[in-house]
Amino acid sequence: MDATEPASQAASPERTAPPMRGAPPMQGAPPKRADARRNYDRLLAAAAAVFAERGADDVSLEEIARRAGVGIGTLYRHFPSRQPLLEAVYKDQVDGLEVLAGKLLASESPGAALCEWMRAFVAFGRTKRSLSSALVANKDSQLMSECSMILRGCTETLLSRAQEAGEARPEVQCADIMRLAHCVIMATEMAPADPDQPERLAGLIVGSVLVPEAVRT
């Protein structure tokens, strides 16, 4: 799997990020009551936190409910099984990245915006790897397909903007960035004793994509 692949950010109905190139509209869930929405958000935040700490396969749904401060019945009303919860956490994080991309498109420096996006993308990929093999293996689902298109669209839009400004190498392609990010994620999993390595490798990606200040026209 090439594509990839900071923190969970709940999807907001007030989100106004512009559509990204190649990103289809995602189907939203029906509106929830205020108390149900709060419980849903708490469950997402608790699940994302504990998945990041220990991985999704080693955490019980009961523990997630306890961390969220709700009963297990409340969790099951929102998520009848583990798979819908994993998918909701993943979509929530993709929504957060889409919002970030929209903000970055309004930034003054296209190169700095692309740099921030690439670092966020690598961090997201590391979080995604902590979910579960069941979610990652379900690459053919509509959700995974839509999320992949959104991430590719955001990457392509930000890359093109930086290239048009002369701040990114013209030969770099969207797929190059996504595959490099995937390589960083896989490499850092093999060296867990070096916590600073992900940031160093992300810096190498940024340095290989952006044009040095000295040669910009």
Side-chain angles (χ1 to χ4, degrees):
M1 184 177 64
D2 292 338
T4 298
E5 18 188 67
S8 176
Q9 179 175 344
S12 167
E14 298 177 358
R15 178 162 56 87
T16 58
M20 299 296 159
R21 188 177 305 173
M26 295 188 70
Q27 298 299 317
K32 299 178 183 293
R33 299 191 321 268
D35 58 340
R37 183 74 230 185
R38 282 194 297 271
N39 288 338
Y40 181 86
D41 291 344
R42 288 172 182 167
L43 286 164
L44 278 188
V50 73
F51 292 164
E53 291 171 10
R54 293 171 20 213
D57 295 329
D58 295 328
V59 179
S60 69
L61 297 182
E62 288 78 8
E63 179 176 350
I64 293 171
R66 284 196 301 272
R67 285 203 180 199
V70 303
I72 188 64
T74 298
L75 183 148
Y76 280 120
R77 279 195 294 275
H78 289 286
F79 308 106
S81 67
R82 180 179 295 268
Q83 186 70 16
L85 177 58
L86 292 168
E87 292 178 352
V89 170
Y90 178 64
K91 180 181 180 297
D92 185 60
Q93 293 175 339
V94 172
D95 286 345
L97 279 176
E98 190 179 14
V99 170
L100 173 63
K103 293 177 179 177
L104 292 174
L105 282 174
S107 65
E108 184 175 345
S109 169
L114 179 61
C115 172
E116 184 173 347
W117 171 257
M118 288 188 288
R119 291 183 183 279
F121 191 69
V122 168
F124 161 76
R126 294 172 63 204
T127 301
K128 179 183 174 183
R129 294 287 299 180
S130 73
L131 291 178
S132 79
S133 56
L135 174 61
V136 175
N138 195 20
K139 295 183 291 185
D140 295 329
S141 73
Q142 181 180 355
L143 172 68
M144 295 297 287
S145 177
E146 289 177 349
C147 287
S148 178
M149 289 185 70
I150 285 173
L151 294 174
R152 287 181 179 275
C154 292
T155 303
E156 184 176 354
T157 300
L158 289 162
L159 173 61
S160 296
R161 181 170 176 258
Q163 288 172 327
E164 290 167 4
E167 298 183 15
R169 290 169 52 185
E171 71 274 19
V172 174
Q173 300 180 14
C174 170
D176 299 336
I177 293 176
M178 300 186 81
R179 288 183 178 131
L180 283 170
H182 180 67
C183 290
V184 168
I185 294 155
M186 298 299 293
T188 54
E189 282 190 350
M190 299 177 187
D194 186 357
D196 296 327
Q197 187 182 63
E199 182 63 24
R200 293 198 307 271
L201 294 178
L204 289 173
I205 293 179
V206 169
S208 68
V209 171
L210 297 184
V211 175
E213 288 282 348
V215 298
R216 288 184 191 164
T217 59

